[in-house]
Amino acid sequence: MNGAARGAVRFEGVAKRFTRAERDVEAIGGFDLDVPAGSFTAIVGPSGCGKTTLIDLLAGYELPTSGRVLVDGVSVTGPGVDRLVVFQETRLFPWMTVLDNVTFGPLARGEQAASAKQEARDLLRSFGLDGVALRYPRQLSGGMQRRAELARALINAPTVMLLDEPFRGLDAMTRQSMQKYLLDLYARSPRTYVFVTSELEEAIYLADRVVLLTGRPASVRTIIDVDLERPRLPAITTTARFLEITGRALEITHEEGRRAFARR
């Protein structure tokens, strides 16, 4: 990046309440978190604790009931191309080819078709998808669809990439391949990444910091710094340091899981 890194995220006293079945549900409560610009932060917590709600608040799809969400000191008041989300389920347009999906954003902003298509083809080549540019999403494997969605997000040059359990439902080999793609992407494109996952080992393998949440209403239980060297290869998951970090995190997540279960 040129100059100061952009994409610093801050949650200040954020609470979010929903009304469901004529009762109020507090999904997020008293949430404070700073995410440094250019960092890779993973968020892990008990099922249903509000992880996706945090992504929705940062993306601008939802607004806090109280508190503020800021990016580079500016309050988030709605969606923006500076913050793009890769979801659990594919959001590729099924009636468009892969190439058309990736160029959709630039063309919608009025960019020249020739330059947008060339940039899209370059991105698809970097993700190993240049041979499927003219195929439709239904003709791709799950891993290919995820790579195409990453390319569609990156062509818009966001400062913050939001990933909401993007590898959920993939088989083990495809998931490992996607983890490698994401690590390589972060190495060559060090923008801010906020990654939500239910897989603790995945969070530790990918991230600089792992934020462990309490049960609903979600707040920060603790933050674990992951001092593993980059670049990271799968073999790092067998090292003593990785196992030490994982063991510490497991103790905390098991405790929060028991608390969340007891409150149901």
Side-chain angles (χ1 to χ4, degrees), residues 3-59:
R6 297 173 57 213
V9 172
R10 167 170 279 191
F11 291 83
E12 289 185 349
V14 171
K16 180 62 178 180
R17 297 178 182 84
F18 298 96
T19 299
R20 292 175 179 166
E22 298 184 353
R23 67 186 185 94
D24 287 336
V25 176
E26 188 176 17
I28 308 292
F31 193 89
D32 295 289
L33 178 67
D34 285 307
V35 177
S39 68
F40 194 128
T41 297
I43 298 177
V44 181
S47 177
C49 75
K51 300 185 294 295
T52 293
T53 300
L54 289 172
I55 291 291
D56 288 344
L57 290 168
L58 182 50

Side-chain angles (χ1 to χ4, degrees), residues 10-246:
R10 167 170 279 191
F11 291 83
E12 289 185 349
V14 171
K16 180 62 178 180
R17 297 178 182 84
F18 298 96
T19 299
R20 292 175 179 166
E22 298 184 353
R23 67 186 185 94
D24 287 336
V25 176
E26 188 176 17
I28 308 292
F31 193 89
D32 295 289
L33 178 67
D34 285 307
V35 177
S39 68
F40 194 128
T41 297
I43 298 177
V44 181
S47 177
C49 75
K51 300 185 294 295
T52 293
T53 300
L54 289 172
I55 291 291
D56 288 344
L57 290 168
L58 182 50
Y61 301 149
E62 298 280 353
L63 296 178
T65 305
S66 60
R68 298 192 300 169
V69 182
L70 305 101
V71 176
D72 292 325
V74 178
S75 291
V76 172
T77 57
V81 294
D82 60 323
R83 293 156 282 117
L84 293 178
V85 185
V86 177
F87 297 93
Q88 295 175 16
E89 301 84 18
T90 181
R91 298 296 176 91
L92 296 171
F93 300 129
W95 59 88
M96 290 185 177
T97 65
V98 172
L99 182 63
D100 289 340
N101 265 282
V102 176
T103 57
F104 178 81
L107 293 180
R109 294 193 302 274
E111 294 187 17
Q112 293 293 320
S115 60
K117 286 186 177 181
Q118 185 58 55
E119 186 178 1
R121 289 187 182 278
D122 290 342
L123 268 174
L124 290 171
R125 188 176 301 111
S126 72
F127 280 102
L129 295 173
D130 47 320
V132 300
L134 300 182
R135 293 185 187 178
Y136 291 89
R138 66 179 180 277
Q139 298 173 300
L140 307 184
S141 67
M144 285 180 173
Q145 290 180 11
R146 288 292 180 267
R147 281 182 270 158
E149 291 194 271
L150 287 170
R152 185 171 70 170
L154 283 175
I155 201 170
N156 294 289
T159 55
V160 183
M161 283 282 289
L162 308 174
L163 301 108
D164 184 11
E165 300 202 58
F167 307 151
R168 186 175 182 178
L170 298 179
D171 63 80
M173 290 184 64
T174 303
R175 190 174 193 126
Q176 188 177 73
S177 296
M178 286 306 304
Q179 290 169 351
K180 181 183 184 302
Y181 273 107
L182 190 57
L183 286 170
D184 291 346
L185 178 60
Y186 179 62
R188 70 175 185 263
S189 183
R191 49 180 48 85
T192 305
Y193 288 72
V194 179
F195 184 92
V196 164
T197 178
S198 299
E199 302 294 330
L200 186 56
E201 291 189 353
E202 178 174 70
I204 295 168
Y205 177 46
L206 296 174
D208 302 313
R209 302 189 314 159
V210 176
V211 179
L212 300 179
L213 303 183
T214 66
R216 186 190 296 168
S219 61
V220 177
R221 167 66 188 270
T222 193
I223 298 175
I224 296 178
D225 292 319
V226 181
D227 55 357
L228 300 172
E229 292 184 359
R230 295 185 185 273
R232 293 181 188 166
L233 300 175
I236 205 168
T237 62
T238 65
T239 62
R241 183 56 180 156
F242 183 92
L243 296 174
E244 179 184 349
I245 296 170
T246 302

